[in-house]
Amino acid sequence: MHRRTFLSSAAMCAALPLTGKLSAAAAVKGRRTAAVIGHTGRGNYGHGLDSVWKLVPDMDIVGVADASESGLKSELRKLDLTAGGNTDYGKMLAECRPEFVSVCPRYADQHCDMVLAAIDAGVKGIYVEKPFVRTPEEADRILAAAQKQGTKIAVAHRNAWHPALKVIADAIANGDLGIIREIRGRGKGDRRGGAEDLWVLGTHVFNLMEFFGGIAQTCSAELLQDGRPVTAADVRDGAEGLGPLAGNELHARYRLAGGITATFDSIANDGFSNAGFGLQLVGTKGLVNIQVDVDPVAYFVPGNPFAPTKADRPWIPVSSAGIGVPEKQPERIAEVHNHVAAVTDLIRCCDSKAQPVCDAHAAARTVDMVCAVFESHRQEGRTVSLPLTERRNPLTLL
């Protein structure tokens, strides 16, 4: 891919306003309102999707829903609330009528119903834990409902808001990496390696793949269990509400709209100690290694990555200020990790005609990319086109 292909991507990472802390209180005129949906014991409250609203200026948390009574009491204490709690999220939404809602549980089987309920209740903006939903069909239902109601949705692929992405995109546009020839992605490769890793962590990687290489057009893949092709007998009910799942090893190849090939690999207990989680942008003059959810988020390695050399080939940190420049805005990086950057962007978009950096459409495409692995495997490794024609989980059709 030529470097000019990345120019439009760089514009997506505009600076977001800084924020301060706020104590939860009853909503008053001129302030915004948010509510939280969690489920203690079934995904809980994600990775801080509940407490983020306490960090947003002029925002009051007015309601919490948790099907677990003990979990609800604990969450109310955590958020300093004395009212607004309900074990039924539909009732909570009807009674509290918040502008914004976090759909927090990590268990993806709850997301579709929770998001649709929030849309139906008239919520303006929804922030959802990843993975977004379990099937393209569920994503289709949410997209249709959100479009009809005018609801804005952001999904917690929080690295999409990282300011270093613009620095990397600018470096590519300036030719510092030469021509990008491939993108290599990996999951954590821990005990969840294979299909579970693909869902839980691969969606982060796919979102970044799209940022740098464009929307996925095709996929070909193989799915293995202990070194042999997955069969219907291997399909089981996956952890964390993921739905049908199979395989502890997978290898996928995507053709992206920008003309570049991207790969994603995950093997259970791969021995890399989670260091492979992220992606590499492999260029003719160097590569960038992006490691998800760590600081620094990326390193630049100059030089032809395939040419032997006696010279040092250092890993140079990438910050929001540039390649090899120390981070000058640690507060902005903290806001990426604690979701403030994402929800601030969501609020801004609800007050304008803009769409969030990682909106429901982008998240839905990561769901298609996951299910494309299953569909290609079902078709004996054949290349399948995206978006998928089959909107169910293809593992149910083995």
Side-chain angles (χ1 to χ4, degrees):
M1 177 184 296
H2 195 277
R3 56 193 173 90
R4 66 173 173 266
T5 306
F6 292 88
L7 285 171
S8 61
S9 294
M12 294 174 61
C13 288
L16 295 172
L18 302 181
T19 60
K21 293 186 176 181
L22 170 71
S23 297
V28 296
K29 187 176 180 180
R31 297 173 66 86
R32 316 302 290 266
T33 58
V36 171
I37 301 174
H39 193 163
T40 300
R42 294 204 74 252
N44 302 318
Y45 290 85
H47 297 86
L49 272 71
D50 53 347
S51 53
V52 60
W53 300 108
K54 295 186 70 174
L55 304 176
V56 179
D58 302 319
M59 181 67 68
D60 294 330
I61 304 175
V62 295
V64 177
D66 190 327
S68 164
E69 291 189 7
S70 62
L72 178 61
K73 291 177 181 178
S74 177
E75 185 67 12
L76 288 169
R77 288 193 298 270
K78 177 182 177 182
L79 299 178
D80 302 321
L81 296 177
T82 57
N86 205 305
T87 56
D88 184 319
Y89 58 80
K91 291 181 179 178
M92 182 276 289
L93 291 167
E95 293 170 0
C96 298
R97 302 186 64 80
E99 287 184 273
F100 306 98
V101 165
S102 283
V103 172
C104 304
R106 295 192 311 277
Y107 282 35
D109 58 341
Q110 302 169 93
H111 291 178
C112 185
D113 288 344
M114 289 175 173
V115 172
L116 289 174
I119 293 172
D120 189 58
V123 170
K124 293 181 179 178
I126 305 170
Y127 189 50
V128 190
E129 179 62 291
K130 57 77 198 170
F132 183 31
V133 288
R134 299 171 298 171
T135 65
E137 186 274 335
E138 288 186 341
D140 293 343
R141 290 167 58 196
I142 289 174
L143 291 174
Q147 181 176 1
K148 181 178 180 180
Q149 197 74 7
T151 311
K152 302 291 178 70
I153 299 173
V155 179
H157 294 129
R158 55 190 171 187
N159 292 278
W161 287 268
H162 202 297
L165 297 191
K166 183 180 185 302
V167 173
I168 297 167
D170 287 345
I172 295 169
N174 293 334
D176 296 339
L177 276 73
I179 300 173
I180 302 300
R181 292 301 188 191
E182 60 183 284
I183 298 177
R184 301 171 178 166
R186 299 190 75 87
K188 280 194 173 181
D190 54 19
R191 61 173 178 78
R192 300 168 294 181
E196 184 175 349
D197 198 13
L198 175 71
W199 266 123
V200 177
L201 300 165
T203 52
H204 279 302
V205 178
F206 294 151
N207 183 245
L208 292 172
M209 278 184 182
E210 180 176 306
F211 177 84
F212 289 106
I215 294 172
Q217 306 294 297
T218 65
C219 173
S220 58
E222 62 175 344
L223 188 60
L224 307 172
Q225 180 65 43
D226 301 328
R228 58 170 176 76
V230 160
T231 67
D234 297 308
V235 179
R236 65 191 189 281
D237 191 24
E240 298 196 9
L242 294 171
L245 212 60
N248 57 9
E249 178 179 350
L250 65 88
H251 306 280
R253 180 181 185 274
Y254 298 91
R255 189 67 174 172
L256 306 180
I260 194 168
T261 295
T263 58
F264 182 86
D265 299 277
S266 177
I267 304 170
N269 303 311
D270 63 12
F272 291 130
S273 301
N274 298 345
F277 176 34
L279 69 163
Q280 291 185 332
L281 309 174
V282 182
T284 56
K285 295 182 180 179
L287 66 82
V288 169
N289 189 78
I290 301 174
Q291 296 175 297
V292 174
D293 289 339
V294 298
D295 287 318
V297 71
Y299 290 86
F300 172 57
V301 185
N304 183 332
F306 299 107
T309 178
K310 293 182 179 179
D312 289 338
R313 190 166 281 168
W315 284 46
I316 305 171
V318 181
S319 73
S320 67
I323 296 174
V325 181
E327 182 58 61
K328 297 179 180 180
Q329 301 181 83
E331 70 282 355
R332 284 192 68 195
I333 307 307
E335 289 179 348
V336 171
H337 291 308
N338 64 19
H339 303 282
V340 170
V343 300
T344 301
D345 178 45
L346 175 62
I347 294 167
R348 176 186 64 83
C349 291
C350 288
D351 293 339
S352 68
K353 295 183 179 180
Q355 288 294 328
V357 168
C358 182
D359 67 1
H361 291 275
R365 289 192 290 270
T366 69
V367 174
D368 258 67
M369 290 177 77
V370 169
C371 289
V373 172
F374 305 150
E375 179 64 1
S376 175
H377 176 77
R378 186 176 76 88
Q379 296 188 30
E380 300 180 338
R382 293 184 179 89
T383 298
V384 298
S385 296
L386 291 154
L388 293 173
T389 301
E390 177 54 61
R391 308 306 283 168
R392 296 167 293 178
N393 184 324
L395 291 178
T396 62
L397 306 176
L398 279 178

